Amino acid sequence: VQLQASGGGLVQAGGSLRLSCAASGRTFSTLSMGWFRQPPGKEREFVAAISWSGGSTTYADSVKGRFTISRDNAKNTVYLQMNSLKPEDTAIYYCALGPWPNNRVILVNYWGQGTLVTVSS
């Protein structure tokens, strides 16, 4: 399984970015896709996840109402729409494949490479 993340960049506070994560190779319908992030000098933390077939979603409290996770199963791609970005959202964002609810680092089966999001104040 390979996960290819893209879409990071530099944005001003209040702006928006959309991250994408394309999965290739063998994927499992029982696994969910999610996003984690690692701010500078901090541990990796959960951001959002979506079940692969059921469309259920879950979010970290810090991003609820600002971030939206979605998926396109035909493309094996998951998206993270990030609105109203804040400087504290600055981090390396990683996509992850794991069992639902896929909200803990220890439960992740596969990691993508990170994509850097920088939010300037």
Side-chain angles (χ1 to χ4, degrees):
V1 175
Q2 290 188 327
L3 303 176
Q4 182 70 38
S6 61
L10 174 64
V11 64
Q12 289 187 331
S16 299
L17 279 176
R18 189 177 81 156
L19 305 182
S20 300
C21 179
S24 61
R26 182 184 179 188
T27 56
F28 303 91
S29 61
T30 57
L31 296 180
S32 66
M33 289 288 289
W35 290 94
F36 289 73
R37 67 185 182 186
Q38 189 161 12
K42 297 184 179 180
E43 293 185 351
R44 197 168 299 189
E45 62 186 22
F46 169 73
V47 176
I50 185 167
S51 62
W52 197 249
S53 59
S56 298
T57 59
T58 182
Y59 296 91
D61 288 343
S62 58
V63 306
K64 279 181 181 177
R66 300 188 298 122
F67 291 10
T68 302
I69 190 169
S70 61
R71 76 206 190 286
D72 183 337
N73 286 347
K75 297 180 179 179
N76 276 351
T77 300
V78 173
Y79 305 97
L80 185 68
Q81 178 66 44
M82 305 185 294
N83 297 329
S84 302
L85 283 161
K86 304 175 181 180
E88 51 264 43
D89 294 317
T90 294
I92 299 173
Y93 283 71
Y94 297 90
C95 57
L97 184 65
W100 178 258
N102 199 17
N103 59 359
R104 296 176 62 190
V105 171
I106 196 172
L107 297 178
V108 172
N109 296 139
Y110 301 96
W111 291 100
Q113 94 292 358
T115 185
L116 178 62
V117 172
T118 304
V119 184
S120 63
S121 57

